[in-house]
Amino acid sequence: MENQEIIIQGITLTGKQFRPSDWVDRMCSTYATFGDDKKLRYSPYLKPKLVNNVRSLSVDMKLKEVNPEGFEQLIQFAKENQLSVINTAGEAVTI
């Protein structure tokens, strides 16, 4: 894939807002780790993002190389819940 990042939007392909509303936070904490200081650190590959007033998840495509299983789980989650996946230009992405 030539894009460096994809965005999974919290809106379904039919235009409905995805619930639960904290799904982005849940996804980010799934890939988080505890540092030496015992503080939770989010993965550098996943970031919460607001796109057109829709809570979304920015996914760095490097995750596909670093953690192929984790990347596939995110894509399956998006597919199963019929979430919109776009690139940084706002164009629909098929994965």
Side-chain angles (χ1 to χ4, degrees):
M1 169 161 285
E2 47 193 57
N3 295 320
Q4 301 291 356
E5 163 186 37
I6 59 170
I7 300 164
I8 302 173
Q9 293 187 293
I11 191 163
T12 65
L13 297 172
T14 60
K16 294 182 181 178
Q17 187 171 356
F18 182 68
R19 298 279 183 219
S21 60
D22 68 343
W23 74 274
V24 173
D25 304 313
R26 291 180 186 198
M27 285 296 178
C28 286
S29 28
T30 299
Y31 292 82
T33 58
F34 284 97
D36 291 336
D37 59 0
K38 302 191 191 257
K39 290 186 180 179
L40 192 64
R41 300 192 190 286
Y42 281 155
S43 165
Y45 306 109
L46 301 176
K47 294 184 179 116
K49 193 170 198 169
L50 195 61
V51 178
N52 299 324
N53 289 326
V54 175
R55 285 188 45 85
S56 304
L57 180 65
S58 169
V59 180
D60 187 319
M61 291 304 292
K62 290 178 188 172
L63 180 65
K64 191 173 184 178
E65 296 170 20
V66 174
N67 184 350
E69 283 184 23
F71 180 81
E72 188 57 34
Q73 287 175 341
L74 286 172
I75 298 307
Q76 285 305 316
F77 174 82
K79 287 179 180 178
E80 289 172 8
N81 291 288
Q82 299 181 352
L83 298 178
S84 298
V85 180
I86 61 173
N87 61 23
T88 54
E91 303 163 329
V93 174
T94 304
I95 297 182

